[in-house]
Amino acid sequence: VQLVESGGGLVQAGGSLRLSCAASGSIFAINAMAWYRQAPGKQRELVALRTSGGSTNYADSVKGRFTVSRDNPKNSVYLQMNSLKPEDTAVYYCNAEIKEYGSSWYDYWGQGTQVTVSS
């Protein structure tokens, strides 16, 4: 199983970016898909999560600005980021709880994509 992210980049404060993540491989089912981020010198933190049933959870710092969505047939998750702030600068990682055929549930991570917000 692989998670491949795209969509990071450099944007001015107040701007928007959309991150995408697609899971591929011998996938039987996917439960939660999420976005985490890690800024230099800080711990990795949950940004947003969406379950297969559509429930969502957001970090307080991004509520009202970020939206997580999924395309279940495409095994994909997206993060629409609006009103970006310099403090949103971090490497963003896609995470998914995936069950392969004939296997158990495991957590998978993408390689990360850099988001830089200039002031």
Side-chain angles (χ1 to χ4, degrees), residues 85-97:
K85 305 175 180 180
E87 51 264 43
D88 294 318
T89 295
V91 177
Y92 284 70
Y93 297 90
C94 176
N95 169 270
E97 188 180 2

Side-chain angles (χ1 to χ4, degrees), residues 67-87:
T67 302
V68 61
S69 60
R70 285 176 63 165
D71 186 334
N72 289 333
K74 293 184 177 180
N75 293 331
S76 295
V77 64
Y78 309 95
L79 186 67
Q80 178 65 44
M81 304 184 293
N82 298 328
S83 302
L84 281 160
K85 305 175 180 180
E87 51 264 43

Side-chain angles (χ1 to χ4, degrees), residues 39-113:
K42 294 189 176 182
Q43 287 190 328
R44 191 172 296 189
E45 63 174 353
L46 175 67
V47 176
L49 175 149
R50 191 175 184 102
T51 68
S52 57
S55 298
T56 57
N57 186 29
Y58 293 93
D60 288 343
S61 59
V62 307
K63 284 179 181 176
R65 300 189 297 122
F66 291 10
T67 302
V68 61
S69 60
R70 285 176 63 165
D71 186 334
N72 289 333
K74 293 184 177 180
N75 293 331
S76 295
V77 64
Y78 309 95
L79 186 67
Q80 178 65 44
M81 304 184 293
N82 298 328
S83 302
L84 281 160
K85 305 175 180 180
E87 51 264 43
D88 294 318
T89 295
V91 177
Y92 284 70
Y93 297 90
C94 176
N95 169 270
E97 188 180 2
I98 295 175
K99 180 178 174 60
E100 293 184 83
Y101 287 95
S103 183
S104 300
W105 291 94
Y106 291 102
D107 250 9
Y108 292 88
W109 292 88
Q111 79 284 1
T113 185

Side-chain angles (χ1 to χ4, degrees), residues 9-22:
L10 173 64
V11 65
Q12 286 190 332
S16 299
L17 281 175
R18 185 175 188 251
L19 304 183
S20 300
C21 171

